[in-house]
Amino acid sequence: MDKSGKKRKKWVEILVVAGSICLAVLAGIGVANDDKILKDVGKDEQKENLISVGFSQVGAESGWRTGNSVSIKDAFSAKNGYALIFKDAQQQQEQQIKSIRSFIQQGVNYIILAPVVETGWDTVLKEAKDAHIPVIIADRKVKVKDESLYTTWVGADFYQEGIKACNWLNKYAKKNGKKRLNIVQIQGTQGATAQLGRTKALEDSAKEYGWTILDQKNGEFTQAKGQEVMEMYLAQYDDIDVVYCDNDNEALGAITAIKNADKKLGPEGISVVSFDASEEGLQAVKNGEIAVDVECNPDFGSEIVKIIKRLKYGRSVDKEYYITDKVFAKTKEIPSIEAGKLKWDVVQVTEDIIKKRRY
Ligand code: GZL
């Protein structure tokens, strides 16, 4: 090999040796960094031995929401190894955005967001992503341009809930000889996934079964507003067959308005359709005041714990986790309902079921 060839060979050898030293150093740093991160986290955990979680909750507008908060607080307790920072936003999106920013400032390990509405989250979720804090969306969904801004979502299929309720209602109407139905809807918070899904299900079902939707107004998922909206409907319409309420609190408000107007509840008067299957809602079903109540189970705190455990140990998680819902009625006169290709047995409400309700 000539001189230049020998020189080139030398350079190659030097480069190979230098390269392997660099790799070793980088790997070393990497290991040191890993060690350092683990040591740091170790120190933090040794010091507090807790995983910090910031939870931005919508508010306390309904029995469902209260139950959901209890579920998250129970799951993310100190005895389970968590330091939970719980923030109630009183149904204000800007409060939720402020809370997320404070979680980022505090350097929490994870953020859980129960979004009051679907839109308006891109900026603040980008800030969380830039801070390398995984965000888990709970209950309602977010609509963002970049899906990588959140790690996963846990909640119910709200459209399917509505289809279940309407499938039951169609069978119930037929059983009671009602060819046509005039329906008013008391909607939940405008733009909330639960409101959007349950509304679309009603509108699609009305087209399929030939029902007439007389009116749709916002009841904000609260009892007071639900009563107010039903009072407006009763003043405006004298041929209402069904009031379709986006949750139990609205339904309880509507029932009060119907009773105050000396109108009948049920197939001879106004049938009430509701969602959540809270303790109060199921009591109203057992009393014959709510005709059908489709569950929306808020008790998924332990599901989110499982997800965080997977993330903590570097394991993959799905983008969506669906919670299953039952269908409750006073009797099993309608034994089962279908939604798409799926079928559910109707659950008859008993005292025991009510007593065992966690929310
Ligand atoms: C549904 C949830 C809704 C409940 C209401 O998952 O978003 O919000 O149906 C609550 O009771 O206010």
Side-chain angles (χ1 to χ4, degrees):
M1 185 183 294
D2 64 22
K3 249 193 185 162
S4 61
K6 277 199 183 111
K7 257 196 203 150
R8 208 171 27 252
K9 188 171 174 299
K10 194 77 191 148
W11 267 114
V12 169
E13 273 168 0
I14 291 167
L15 280 175
V16 165
V17 168
S20 44
I21 290 168
C22 284
L23 280 175
V25 168
L26 279 175
I29 287 171
V31 170
N33 263 3
D34 284 354
D35 274 355
K36 186 176 174 310
I37 291 171
L38 284 177
K39 275 207 198 79
D40 281 359
V41 168
K43 257 195 237 123
D44 286 350
E45 291 199 336
Q46 274 144 30
K47 192 172 68 209
E48 295 168 7
N49 198 28
L50 301 173
I51 299 170
S52 56
V53 175
F55 175 40
S56 171
Q57 176 61 294
V58 167
E61 75 284 356
S62 65
W64 187 98
R65 188 65 53 196
T66 310
N68 182 244
S69 296
V70 167
S71 175
I72 301 282
K73 286 174 180 173
D74 283 356
F76 290 94
S77 64
K79 73 173 169 42
N80 289 345
Y82 296 91
L84 179 68
I85 308 166
F86 178 92
K87 292 277 185 192
D88 172 334
Q90 282 93 39
Q91 299 207 79
Q92 303 299 320
Q93 180 171 34
E94 55 272 19
Q95 288 303 322
Q96 293 200 283
I97 291 171
K98 275 193 196 126
S99 298
I100 293 169
R101 288 191 169 128
S102 79
F103 297 151
I104 294 169
Q105 284 302 320
Q106 297 172 71
V108 297
N109 299 116
Y110 299 92
I111 290 172
I112 303 173
L113 167 63
V116 60
V117 292
E118 291 194 335
T119 54
W121 304 102
D122 297 76
T123 303
V124 75
L125 292 183
K126 177 77 171 59
E127 292 165 23
K129 182 178 180 183
D130 292 345
H132 306 293
I133 302 175
V135 176
I136 294 164
I137 306 297
D139 179 28
R140 302 170 190 175
K141 292 188 168 183
V142 294
K143 249 196 187 46
V144 287
K145 292 186 190 66
D146 173 2
E147 291 281 308
S148 73
L149 292 182
Y150 67 93
T151 302
T152 186
W153 165 83
V154 182
D157 183 337
F158 304 109
Y159 179 76
Q160 186 188 73
E161 288 176 352
I163 295 294
K164 286 178 180 175
C166 291
N167 185 267
W168 185 94
L169 182 59
N170 182 48
K171 292 181 176 182
Y172 179 74
K174 283 193 177 133
K175 214 170 174 64
N176 289 282
K178 294 211 171 214
K179 295 247 180 318
R180 295 188 52 71
L181 287 180
N182 290 331
I183 301 175
V184 290
Q185 180 188 11
I186 304 178
Q187 294 183 334
T189 307
Q190 301 299 286
T193 317
Q195 177 269 315
L196 296 168
R198 292 167 186 164
T199 296
K200 185 158 177 10
L202 173 64
E203 290 167 352
D204 291 352
S205 301
K207 284 193 199 100
E208 181 182 351
Y209 301 126
W211 300 337
T212 302
I213 299 177
L214 297 173
D215 212 330
Q216 298 166 286
K217 292 186 193 306
N218 181 10
E220 293 171 4
F221 284 129
T222 68
Q223 187 158 342
K225 196 74 181 153
Q227 180 175 341
E228 192 186 306
V229 169
M230 193 65 212
E231 283 162 357
M232 280 192 272
Y233 285 152
L234 290 167
Q236 194 170 350
Y237 305 100
D238 56 9
D239 56 351
I240 299 171
D241 298 308
V242 177
V243 56
Y244 180 98
C245 304
D246 279 6
N247 82 331
D248 285 339
N249 297 75
E250 292 175 346
L252 295 171
I255 289 164
T256 302
I258 293 166
K259 285 181 174 174
N260 291 348
D262 292 326
K263 297 265 184 188
K264 271 190 178 177
L265 285 160
E268 301 312 314
I270 298 175
S271 298
V272 180
V273 173
S274 187
F275 297 88
D276 283 356
S278 64
E279 185 182 341
E280 279 190 295
L282 293 185
Q283 191 58 62
V285 171
K286 195 163 181 306
N287 299 343
E289 295 167 337
I290 290 179
V292 62
D293 201 344
V294 176
E295 183 182 38
C296 177
N297 194 328
D299 196 5
F300 50 68
S302 53
E303 292 307 308
I304 300 180
V305 165
K306 286 179 205 156
I307 291 167
I308 284 181
K309 277 189 176 146
R310 289 185 66 87
L311 293 171
K312 178 174 161 42
Y313 293 103
R315 303 196 42 203
S316 66
V317 295
D318 295 340
K319 199 68 183 173
E320 292 183 328
Y321 290 86
Y322 280 95
I323 305 294
T324 53
D325 303 312
K326 297 189 191 76
V327 178
F328 292 92
K330 183 177 172 62
T331 69
K332 289 181 73 78
E333 62 177 314
I334 291 150
S336 64
I337 54 101
E338 298 80 39
K341 296 190 181 63
L342 300 173
K343 183 176 173 182
W344 285 264
D345 289 338
V346 172
V347 178
Q348 179 172 3
V349 177
T350 62
E351 209 46 59
D352 190 44
I353 285 177
I354 293 172
K355 266 202 300 250
K356 284 183 183 145
R357 217 72 193 138
R358 267 178 57 92
Y359 66 99

